[in-house]
Amino acid sequence: MSPEDQRKVLTALARIDAGAWLEKVQPGLLAGLAASRRPEATALLRGVVEERRLLDWVMDRFVRHRPRSLLKQALRLGFYRLRCGHAPHAVVDTLLAALAECDARERGLVNGVLRSYLRKPVEPLRTEFSTDADYLRVVHGLPLWMQKLMHAHGVGTLEEIVDALGRWRGQRRLWMRRETTRWTEEQLLAELAALDVQAVQQGAWFALSQLPTGGMEAFAPLRDGRCHVQDLSTSGAVQLAVASGAQTLLDLCAAPGGKALAIADQLPTAELTLVEADKGRARELERRLAGKRVIHADGRKVEGSWQCVLLDAPCSGSGSAIHRPDMLLRDTDPVTKSVLAQQAELLHHAADLVCPGGRLVYSTCSLDPRENREQIHAFLNTHSDWYIVQDAVPAEFRDGDAAWTWIPWQLQLGAGGAWAVALARRESK
């Protein structure tokens, strides 16, 4: 990687360090790079973010006081590339060239620290940490709140967590959904064969075994709308909504619109209404789903009646952490009282929008029981006329609450985590 490209990666890392989300920073980084250089830049950016706690542990072995942000990112990037096995002299020389605008003292600091590491590399041992939790946090990048979630799903010991995390990260895939009305499975397979690329398929969802020549930017079906980037874990909520057979559907928290697009593809004659509280995101929904009714409003204030209401509730997003490693840099529990209160309010209001005989689908991209089963149990405790539809979920994805549950390290499909359940109202006697 050239010094100029490394400088761009350092700038992106500094923005993330200052609090920006990786998914917001990465497009700007890639836009300034040639297509052939984007995969390496993406791997470096995500790799440094994913291992930041470990890289900082290494830094602390060689630096008494952490330097300013740009130099800190340079050391992280240097340590990461050296640990990945890149040629030492090339790593140091190109990194110093990327820091050409820094003064001699700062460049000397980076040079000295990296060469000290090369002379005597350090590796964290379990015995250097007072608890397993601290070891997992630093060495494997798992904050305590994520460790607790893994415990809640039956992953208990240090060895079990490390093994589950390895499977989760090792099988990570970029999933896409095929627009079934525009692109048949046979056409998909024929086009992939022409590119000499294979794919893993789950219904309308597929993931490529390797990048096509020229990267994803050169993958024509993605450019022309025959497929969309959409994680496989979203398919549970989509299929529960589609299985309702409803001809009027409401997506109560619709942005960015992926689930609505999938529902519209499978139920092309259905009347689909989308609600979004954010004005900018509502405008984007109007663009993505031209011809569909979009309401710019707080979902708790919408009025009307629909045969099926999909509530993809705002949540902590813990199920998508493997695709968004910067999420794991936050030590505070992402599930707050305000988030739980908003989910409960939306759920109660969504029930009022379902017409007699209709369905309510509640979903999150969270692994946290507080946002999933506990919300539903609390709802059912105060809504005795509602019940969980028991036969809506295939056995391989069904949990004890008859919900569609994606636990990524168990399914090993390279997708994120999610939870979805279908509710119905009992008919009055």
Side-chain angles (χ1 to χ4, degrees):
M1 173 173 277
S2 70
E4 181 183 355
D5 289 351
Q6 286 200 43
R7 177 65 186 229
K8 292 175 181 177
V9 171
L10 294 177
T11 301
L13 287 169
R15 288 187 59 197
I16 295 169
D17 212 12
W21 287 111
L22 184 148
E23 63 182 3
K24 300 296 184 182
V25 171
Q26 184 171 309
L29 166 65
L30 300 183
L33 299 174
S36 60
R37 304 203 301 273
R38 290 172 185 171
E40 183 180 7
T42 299
L44 286 178
L45 182 68
R46 296 182 64 88
V48 172
V49 171
E50 196 166 87
E51 297 192 11
R52 192 170 87 180
R53 297 181 194 275
L54 174 57
L55 298 173
D56 283 356
W57 181 90
V58 174
M59 189 189 307
D60 290 342
R61 309 279 84 76
F62 296 95
V63 179
R64 182 173 298 179
H65 302 291
R66 290 189 187 177
R68 68 184 179 96
S69 180
L70 181 62
L71 303 181
K72 186 166 56 177
Q73 313 314 322
L75 288 172
R76 287 170 175 163
L77 181 58
F79 289 137
Y80 179 78
R81 296 191 73 208
L82 291 172
R83 291 174 59 83
C84 288
H86 292 273
H89 293 297
V91 170
V92 177
D93 291 346
T94 56
L95 193 53
L96 292 176
L99 299 173
E101 295 180 4
C102 298
D103 61 39
R105 181 184 60 83
E106 290 181 325
R107 295 174 72 248
L109 170 67
V110 172
N111 181 52
V113 169
L114 293 180
R115 293 192 184 280
S116 294
Y117 173 80
L118 285 170
R119 287 193 296 271
K120 190 176 180 180
V122 294
E123 196 67 32
L125 302 175
R126 168 61 188 88
T127 53
E128 298 183 60
F129 299 89
S130 57
T131 65
D132 286 348
D134 197 31
Y135 173 77
L136 288 168
R137 175 182 173 276
V138 173
V139 178
H140 295 282
L142 284 182
L144 184 59
W145 59 265
M146 179 55 82
Q147 296 178 41
K148 289 180 177 178
L149 287 185
M150 297 184 81
H151 288 316
H153 291 286
V155 185
T157 67
L158 171 67
E159 292 75 16
E160 288 173 342
I161 291 177
V162 172
D163 178 64
L165 182 63
R167 284 184 273 116
W168 192 7
R169 285 176 172 161
Q171 297 190 13
R172 180 169 48 202
R173 293 188 176 108
L174 177 66
W175 282 92
M176 290 170 279
R177 182 184 56 80
R178 172 174 53 87
E179 285 286 332
T180 58
T181 56
R182 298 183 56 193
W183 204 24
T184 67
E185 182 178 358
E186 291 74 17
Q187 291 170 330
L188 162 67
L189 294 175
E191 189 146 356
L192 294 181
L195 294 170
D196 196 24
V197 173
Q198 295 181 327
V200 177
Q201 293 189 75
Q202 288 283 324
W205 275 257
F206 68 97
L208 304 183
S209 57
Q210 71 268 6
L211 291 178
T213 303
M216 292 306 300
E217 293 82 2
F219 190 48
L222 195 57
R223 293 199 313 270
D224 62 30
R226 282 177 287 161
C227 66
H228 307 273
V229 173
Q230 187 172 13
D231 196 69
L232 179 63
S233 62
T234 64
S235 65
V238 169
Q239 293 187 52
L240 289 179
V242 169
S244 70
Q247 285 303 298
T248 61
L249 295 98
L250 173 69
D251 189 344
L252 197 56
C253 298
K259 293 184 179 68
L261 278 170
I263 293 170
D265 181 48
Q266 296 188 51
L267 296 175
T269 63
E271 179 186 296
L272 180 59
T273 303
L274 297 85
V275 175
E276 174 53 43
D278 182 84
K279 188 175 182 179
R281 300 181 87 189
R283 284 199 298 265
E284 180 62 17
L285 284 175
E286 291 175 342
R287 185 194 67 79
R288 291 193 74 190
L289 289 103
K292 301 300 181 184
R293 183 187 179 202
V294 177
I295 301 174
H296 170 220
D298 185 324
R300 293 166 289 189
K301 298 179 180 179
V302 174
E303 300 298 333
S305 180
W306 287 267
Q307 293 174 347
C308 179
V309 174
L310 167 62
L311 171 56
D312 187 38
C315 69
S316 64
S318 54
S320 60
I322 203 64
H323 297 298
R324 298 173 53 194
D326 48 332
M327 181 182 297
L328 298 178
L329 297 175
R330 314 291 171 96
D331 283 318
T332 56
D333 188 345
V335 180
T336 64
K337 290 182 179 180
S338 62
V339 168
L340 293 174
Q342 182 185 27
Q343 290 168 353
E345 290 170 8
L346 283 164
L347 181 56
H348 284 67
H349 185 65
D352 293 335
L353 302 176
V354 180
C355 67
R359 293 283 174 92
L360 169 58
V361 177
Y362 175 87
S363 70
T364 72
C365 56
S366 171
L367 298 172
D368 199 308
R370 293 172 293 175
E371 299 185 281
N372 298 329
R373 63 185 305 270
E374 291 181 22
Q375 283 285 20
I376 295 302
H377 288 184
F379 171 81
L380 294 176
N381 284 338
T382 57
H383 293 72
S384 59
D385 55 333
W386 283 84
Y387 63 95
I388 296 175
V389 181
Q390 294 294 314
D391 59 353
V393 180
E396 63 266 34
F397 303 120
R398 189 167 59 237
D399 68 6
D401 291 298
W404 200 307
T405 304
W406 289 87
I407 307 300
W409 54 84
Q410 293 177 2
L411 294 174
Q412 299 186 53
L413 291 168
W419 196 85
V421 67
L423 305 174
R425 184 186 281 115
R426 292 185 177 87
E427 296 183 7
S428 56
K429 296 181 180 179

